[in-house]
Amino acid sequence: SPGSACSRPCSSVSSRAAWLKLCCTALQRASWTAPQSHAAREDTEEQGLLQALPGEAKKAQGGEDDYKARLNMLRQDKNKYATPKHRFAVRFTNSQVVCQISRPTMQGDIIECMASSAELPLLGCRVGLKNYAAAYCTGLLLARRMLKSLNMDKTYKGVEEVDGEEFHVEEDEEGDRKPFKCVLDVGIRRTTLGNRVFGALKGAVDGGLHVPHSVKKFPGFTKSEGKGQDDKYDAEAHKEKIIAGHVCDYMEAMKENDEEKYKRHFSKYLDAGLDGDALEDMLLATHKAIRADPTFRGLARLTKKDGGKKRKLLPATKVAAKSSSYKAKNTRNGQVITTNSGTYTRPIKLSLAQRKDRVAQKWEAFRSKIAAAQVDEDDE
């Protein structure tokens, strides 16, 4: 600025050098910013490192997955090299339960079998697709489907009638083939007492899979108060959760206290004509339908109409197998291509000379239009 040290006249080389030095100092002071604190520098560095990390490391840093627990599940003994170690993964979304059986490879996980609670409406369970009872049905469906694909469904039938008792399929081993074994994978979900992931676990075990577990996390388990005392496990309490007894009790209590809230809260149940006893009968019928035929039939997804509140049944589509003598016959007539299934339009690729000629024609048409408009103005 005028009058500052940088605007002084320079009459000699030494004064010119001093003037340049003053100019540099002034510029440095103008662009100077306060230094960041130690914590701010650490945050900035951490964000930069996190952006440079690969996808799996980002998940680990962001708390989306526990790769240390995953490594412990996948670690295999050296004397069992190349023997797949299967995982029984249970995940919950806002609208459904998803269960998968996968095995790890160097290229990534391979899904051996999958089941979703969105399939349950086609099997009889029309409402409540993410509660404890739905998790049990989904685990049961996955177990029966996996065993059927291995031709082991008749050897290992599991528990055909729900009782809530502790059951391990390896204790009832029959035949030459060992039961299908997998370990439970809950992801980053907290394994609290009575969590819904253990409903899916109980369904898979009752379906005939060998999943190592204990009853310490099942509903109805009570830890001993003092040393030397035995823990207690109430199988009836667990059975009530499996057949949605807790939902029935809540429905009755809400109906007595606030009937308006009851009609709003359980509107889908009432539209389906389900109350306490009917809900239990529906779930038991679903268990029988799963055991009768666990094959994939389709999904029930929320449609976009009516605010996404109505479920539309999407049956499984079967792709027709093409015969060995099938040959595609495509013929072209100008821009129209005719195939075995119909016709469609595809423009012909033009050469450079043709494109230049096309542009010249457009310019000529544009100039003619401008000239015609100018002649009309002159006539007026």
Side-chain angles (χ1 to χ4, degrees):
S1 62
S4 63
C6 298
S7 60
R8 293 176 182 176
C10 49
S11 57
S12 62
V13 176
S14 59
S15 60
R16 184 175 300 175
W19 177 74
L20 289 173
K21 187 175 181 180
L22 287 174
C23 289
C24 293
T25 303
L27 290 174
Q28 288 178 0
R29 289 178 179 176
S31 61
W32 179 84
T33 55
Q36 290 182 332
S37 63
H38 182 68
R41 284 199 303 272
E42 284 187 350
D43 293 342
T44 306
E45 292 174 1
E46 185 177 355
Q47 291 176 2
L49 290 174
L50 194 58
Q51 291 177 357
L53 288 174
E56 293 184 354
K58 281 186 181 180
K59 281 187 174 182
Q61 290 289 334
E64 298 178 14
D65 207 340
D66 189 350
Y67 282 92
K68 184 177 181 180
R70 173 187 167 88
L71 180 62
N72 293 333
M73 281 189 293
L74 302 183
R75 187 178 288 114
Q76 185 67 285
D77 297 334
K78 288 186 177 181
N79 59 352
K80 298 179 181 179
Y81 176 75
T83 301
K85 195 171 184 180
H86 294 88
R87 292 181 295 126
F88 172 60
V90 183
R91 300 292 185 268
F92 289 87
T93 68
N94 290 337
S95 59
Q96 62 181 333
V97 188
V98 180
C99 297
Q100 293 177 342
I101 293 179
S102 61
R103 59 181 175 89
T105 63
M106 294 299 294
Q107 291 75 26
D109 290 349
I110 295 178
I111 306 301
E112 298 284 355
C113 190
M114 179 260 186
S116 169
S117 63
E119 304 176 44
L120 298 181
L122 296 172
L123 294 167
C125 182
R126 302 183 296 277
V127 292
L129 300 183
K130 59 177 183 177
N131 56 20
Y132 195 94
Y136 178 89
C137 292
T138 308
L140 179 64
L141 177 61
L142 177 67
R144 301 310 301 167
R145 183 175 293 171
M146 186 67 194
L147 293 177
K148 186 175 182 179
S149 66
L150 299 174
N151 295 325
M152 298 170 62
D153 54 332
K154 295 181 179 179
T155 305
Y156 299 101
K157 297 182 180 180
V159 180
E160 297 186 14
E161 294 185 3
V162 179
D163 54 6
E165 296 288 346
E166 184 177 5
F167 175 76
H168 297 276
V169 70
E170 71 274 10
E171 297 177 358
D172 297 341
E173 184 176 344
E174 298 177 0
D176 298 333
R177 301 180 67 179
K178 292 183 178 180
F180 186 85
K181 181 181 178 181
C182 51
V183 294
L184 178 64
D185 179 5
V186 299
I188 58 172
R189 198 173 190 85
R190 293 187 178 274
T191 54
T192 55
L193 180 66
N195 200 300
R196 289 177 293 172
V197 295
F198 301 111
L201 167 65
K202 181 60 176 172
V205 170
D206 288 355
L209 294 182
H210 172 30
V211 186
H213 70 283
S214 66
V215 298
K216 291 184 178 180
K217 294 295 185 178
F218 284 161
F221 177 80
T222 306
K223 190 175 179 59
S224 61
E225 297 180 356
K227 294 182 179 180
Q229 298 180 2
D230 296 334
D231 299 333
K232 297 180 181 180
Y233 172 63
D234 188 1
E236 286 296 326
H238 194 185
K239 180 182 177 181
E240 286 295 316
K241 293 277 287 186
I242 292 173
I243 59 177
H246 59 296
V247 179
C248 301
D249 296 339
Y250 186 56
M251 290 175 68
E252 294 176 359
M254 184 179 291
K255 185 176 181 180
E256 293 178 359
N257 297 332
D258 191 350
E259 190 170 356
E260 293 295 330
K261 183 179 178 181
Y262 165 75
K263 292 180 180 179
R264 293 195 308 270
H265 198 72
F266 293 100
S267 59
K268 294 182 180 179
Y269 288 74
L270 297 177
D271 293 341
L274 297 174
D275 53 7
D277 297 334
L279 185 60
E280 178 181 345
D281 296 338
M282 179 192 70
L283 291 171
L284 294 177
T286 303
H287 297 166
K288 293 181 180 179
I290 290 173
R291 290 186 174 275
D293 185 14
T295 56
F296 179 73
R297 302 182 185 181
L299 298 174
R301 294 178 177 172
L302 292 175
T303 58
K304 294 183 179 180
K305 295 181 179 180
D306 300 324
K309 296 181 180 180
K310 289 188 177 181
R311 290 191 174 272
K312 180 181 180 182
L313 300 181
L314 304 176
T317 56
K318 295 182 179 180
V319 180
K322 296 181 179 179
S323 62
S324 58
S325 60
Y326 175 83
K327 292 183 179 179
K329 298 179 181 179
N330 297 344
T331 57
R332 183 161 193 163
N333 184 11
Q335 295 186 354
V336 180
I337 298 178
T338 305
T339 64
N340 294 359
S341 58
T343 60
Y344 65 94
T345 303
R346 184 174 183 179
I348 300 175
K349 186 176 181 180
L350 302 178
S351 63
L352 178 61
Q354 290 174 334
R355 293 199 300 271
K356 287 184 177 180
D357 183 56
R358 186 182 178 188
V359 172
Q361 291 177 6
K362 288 185 177 182
W363 273 111
E364 186 64 28
F366 178 72
R367 293 192 187 98
S368 301
K369 185 177 179 180
I370 295 296
Q374 188 173 3
V375 169
D376 293 341
E377 289 180 0
D378 295 342
D379 293 343
E380 293 177 358

